[in-house]
Amino acid sequence: MRLGVVCGVLAVLLSGVVAPAAAAPAASEPVYDYAKAIRETVWVDIGHDGDGDGRSDRVAADIVRPGEPTSGVPVIMDASPYYSCCGRGNESELKTYDSAGKPVKFPLFYDNYFVPRGYAVVLVDLAGTNRSAGCADVGGSSDVDSARKVVDWLNGRATGYRAKTGGSPVTAGWSSGNVGMIGKSYDGTVANGVAATGVAGLKTIVPISAISSWYDYYRSDGAVFGSSPAGLAQTVEDRNGGQDCSAQNQALRQGATANGDYGPLWADRDYVTHAADVRASVLLSHGVNDLNVKTIHFGQWWAGLRVEKKIWLSQTGHVDPFDYRRADWVDLLHRWFDHYLLGIDNGVQNGPQATVERQPDLWVTQSAYPAADAVATTLRPHVSGTLGTSAASGTASFTDNPSVGEDTWVTDPGSAALTYSTGTLSSDVHVSGTSSVTVTATPSTSSARLSALLVDLGPATIRNFTGNGEGIKTGTAENCWGASTPGDDACYRITSADVKKVNYTILGRGWADLANYASLSQERPLTPGTAYTMTFRLAPTDHIVPRGHALALIIGGTDGSFIRGPAQPGRLTVDLARTSVSVPLAGVVPAAATHQGRPGGDAFVPSAAQAAQADLR
């Protein structure tokens, strides 16, 4: 047989014909036996002593990788604080271990699907959580280094051990050094933070509903949402006994001042300022109705990136694409990781940049986000109650009432908010990107809040993002994504869209403390009777306001659905000549509407279901 092969090759060479090269693989295939996969834990030294015990903290990296002899294995990493306290995914899966401490259950489907295809999956416990030493610092250097140092270890630049303390050093000789990070919420936030360091070896990140600046998670242009990073730290540290995190938690309490000022603690956790340092490609997903990690996070992060990137925008709230468009998402992830971690030229980086859900389960692609034809358009409120592109004059007043919020403002504002509408639109208007509002207001007291809404007035069927599933219903039947073992199955409950009919859709929200009109770093007492001008952002979106609907701007004080009120709520008078909203839109908005009514007339009455919708926190 060998002689025949040699003779055949010789004949080809003598004839001058070159044998064709083997075709490059189109996709990684499940050729490795998941049942034989190697499961192990390595503790990586991250160079911090967060718990003050005099030892450098080590974080636990649980690894599952092909058991067959192989090298050059790429890694999919999910670094999380939730593997013992709160769970991951729609079914809140936790890590499990056998009696010897060997990892058994790896939450989510990544291991089941990708390990048979030649990948390793590494799930990292952030410092202070589950089996890692140290303390959580909620987006700070310890959180980020918990994952960054594991990337370094996979590339031979950091030290790993077989034990949490002591133990022998261990290297990752099996690793190719190519790492992709993925995760939802806090996990995706860590991916953003690690990517912002520009660490070598991190080839791609997939942040899902992720934070880009911790200030914007707890604060908004000076306004305070209410929760605190110290509370979150204590929650995720709760299952990891033994360490003393009192000093770290106190530092979080002191750094996150009671007011909404942007200080050093927030600056250290602002990844947007380093978005230009990102070298990894980015596949981003976010729900445009996410009221937990609000859409300002994806908008500012996306705008700062200078790398290959794609985006999915759903109508859901805080939901993973695996739970609203499962098959398409798994296929995209497969091709994405194959391209960026295995180097397969499958073209996944080409084509439309954005995929957007227009109606429940109705998806479209567009060449770019924001839409290529969207132009920043200035709209101005008029004393008649209209909203248009022409100049305005006059004043209008409202009385701050922190006991009500956005839904009351839309359906029955009374004296608590001001509403301005374009009137019925004669053609579709596409709002795509981040809007901003500039308000000039004179307060009657020494403290004041401002809130603004951009609203599509008109009937629609949307995902029920304020429901228990934030836009999805979870059934009892399952489908499976990859291979299973007795302790780690690949099967997950099938979901469907949870929808409802509404009479209006809020496209963008924004909140501000007027005391931060001059600087986000230092609030200033207001002088009653003095006019102040402040510009603040509204949440990014991608939405088409259809013909026959109206686009409205609502301005109020304390949106009780979200932010804390001022010490002395009072009356605010708005100078309409110096108040406007800048909206990135494609389409025509009238210079000034001829009437102030809503579509269908002035007597707008919400449905009973819509009127009952209240708590959006």
Side-chain angles (χ1 to χ4, degrees):
M1 291 178 64
R2 289 180 180 175
L3 179 60
V5 170
V6 171
C7 291
V9 171
L10 181 60
V12 169
L13 293 175
L14 291 175
S15 67
V17 178
V18 179
S28 59
E29 297 290 344
V31 297
Y32 296 94
D33 187 348
Y34 183 70
K36 296 180 180 178
I38 296 170
R39 295 167 181 264
E40 60 185 339
T41 303
V42 173
W43 278 266
V44 177
D45 190 325
I46 66 169
H48 293 262
D49 182 13
D51 51 15
D53 64 357
R55 296 191 299 265
S56 184
D57 300 331
R58 297 180 186 178
V59 297
D62 290 322
I63 301 166
V64 55
R65 55 188 175 90
E68 294 86 345
T70 185
S71 60
V73 178
V75 169
I76 297 169
M77 180 192 299
D78 188 338
S80 177
Y82 294 140
Y83 287 129
S84 63
C85 84
C86 311
R88 305 312 299 130
N90 190 39
E91 298 176 32
S92 300
E93 293 184 311
L94 301 171
K95 285 181 177 180
T96 65
Y97 305 87
D98 64 17
S99 58
K102 181 179 177 181
V104 174
K105 173 66 176 178
F106 283 67
L108 306 176
F109 75 98
Y110 306 136
D111 56 313
N112 310 93
Y113 188 85
F114 285 104
V115 171
R117 287 170 167 79
Y119 291 83
V121 171
V122 178
L123 304 187
V124 180
D125 298 328
L126 295 188
T129 71
N130 199 21
R131 300 201 297 172
S132 290
C135 295
D137 64 358
V138 189
S141 60
S142 181
D143 271 10
V144 171
D145 283 346
S146 293
R148 184 178 68 87
K149 286 294 187 178
V150 177
V151 175
D152 284 340
W153 175 73
L154 291 163
N155 283 272
R157 301 189 300 264
T159 305
Y161 298 88
R162 287 294 181 194
K164 187 174 181 178
T165 60
S168 58
V170 58
T171 60
W174 48 267
S175 168
S176 70
N178 292 342
V179 181
M181 292 188 67
I182 188 170
K184 177 192 168 193
S185 198
Y186 202 139
D187 306 16
T189 303
V190 175
N192 284 344
V194 175
T197 70
V199 61
L202 184 61
K203 301 300 183 181
T204 191
I205 61 171
V206 185
I208 301 166
S209 303
I211 295 166
S212 58
S213 165
W214 284 90
Y215 175 85
D216 292 302
Y217 186 73
Y218 289 106
R219 309 285 189 264
S220 174
D221 291 293
V224 177
F225 291 131
S227 55
S228 71
L232 179 54
Q234 290 172 307
T235 297
V236 299
E237 292 161 352
D238 186 53
R239 300 289 182 89
N240 186 358
Q243 80 271 43
D244 180 3
C245 293
S246 57
Q248 177 63 59
N249 292 337
Q250 180 63 15
L252 289 173
R253 280 188 288 270
Q254 291 177 342
T257 55
N259 63 15
D261 287 355
Y262 181 95
L265 179 137
W266 303 120
D268 289 343
R269 291 159 174 79
D270 187 349
Y271 312 134
V272 178
T273 58
H274 298 286
D277 296 330
V278 174
R279 292 191 277 178
S281 64
V282 179
L283 174 60
L284 188 155
S285 171
H286 216 106
V288 296
N289 293 307
D290 192 337
L291 301 181
N292 179 352
V293 179
K294 299 170 183 65
T295 60
I296 196 68
H297 292 280
F298 88 76
Q300 60 192 5
W301 182 241
W302 179 265
L305 296 171
R306 300 293 181 265
V307 294
E308 291 182 342
K309 57 185 181 179
K310 285 184 180 287
I311 190 169
W312 270 29
L313 296 175
S314 75
Q315 277 197 357
T316 65
H318 199 58
V319 182
D320 192 307
F322 185 74
D323 295 314
Y324 61 70
R325 202 182 180 206
R326 186 166 295 178
D328 294 293
W329 179 248
V330 174
D331 177 67
L332 176 58
L333 276 185
H334 185 184
R335 292 183 292 118
W336 191 266
F337 285 139
D338 274 1
H339 178 70
Y340 288 104
L341 301 184
L342 286 175
I344 295 176
D345 186 13
N346 55 21
V348 71
Q349 76 279 18
N350 301 323
Q353 188 181 64
T355 302
V356 183
E357 188 178 26
R358 287 277 172 252
Q359 299 172 18
D361 289 328
L362 177 61
W363 292 83
V364 300
T365 58
Q366 60 190 41
S367 63
Y369 177 82
D373 56 350
V375 177
T377 304
T378 300
L379 304 177
R380 303 180 187 280
H382 297 245
V383 290
S384 62
T386 61
L387 182 70
T389 57
S390 62
S393 62
T395 62
S397 300
F398 63 87
T399 301
D400 190 3
N401 182 359
S403 66
V404 300
E406 60 180 24
D407 291 284
T408 300
W409 290 358
V410 179
T411 60
D412 186 20
S415 62
L418 304 170
T419 300
Y420 301 94
S421 167
T422 62
T424 303
L425 295 170
S426 59
S427 59
D428 292 353
V429 170
H430 186 185
V431 179
S432 182
T434 304
S435 301
S436 65
V437 61
T438 298
V439 178
T440 298
T442 301
S444 65
T445 61
S446 59
S447 59
R449 305 289 185 268
L450 289 172
S451 302
L453 306 175
L454 196 64
V455 187
D456 173 349
L457 296 175
T461 298
I462 67 170
R463 284 189 183 261
N464 183 20
F465 62 89
T466 62
N468 291 335
E470 300 195 44
I472 64 169
K473 293 180 180 178
T474 303
T476 56
E478 295 184 330
N479 55 19
C480 304
W481 300 86
S484 297
T485 61
D488 193 337
D489 73 274
C491 304
Y492 293 85
R493 294 175 186 171
I494 298 171
T495 67
S496 59
D498 179 16
V499 303
K500 68 176 181 179
K501 293 183 178 180
V502 298
N503 290 317
Y504 63 89
T505 304
I506 297 175
L507 310 184
R509 302 165 174 84
W511 311 271
D513 185 342
L514 190 57
N516 290 100
Y517 71 94
S519 169
L520 283 185
S521 299
Q522 185 174 9
E523 66 178 9
R524 301 182 183 184
L526 304 176
T527 301
T530 300
Y532 299 92
T533 299
M534 187 169 185
T535 298
F536 54 99
R537 301 161 299 170
L538 303 183
T541 192
D542 195 285
H543 178 92
I544 293 178
V545 183
R547 178 174 61 89
H549 286 207
L551 183 64
L553 172 68
I554 297 178
I555 301 172
T558 303
D559 181 348
S561 304
F562 292 96
I563 64 172
R564 293 176 180 171
Q568 296 176 297
R571 190 165 179 81
L572 288 96
T573 300
V574 177
D575 182 349
L576 299 181
R578 295 192 288 163
T579 296
S580 63
V581 60
S582 176
V583 184
L585 59 82
V588 178
V589 173
T594 57
H595 65 281
Q596 92 183 62
R598 305 166 185 259
D602 291 340
F604 173 78
V605 179
S607 66
Q610 188 63 40
Q613 179 187 339
D615 187 1
L616 298 183
R617 280 171 285 187

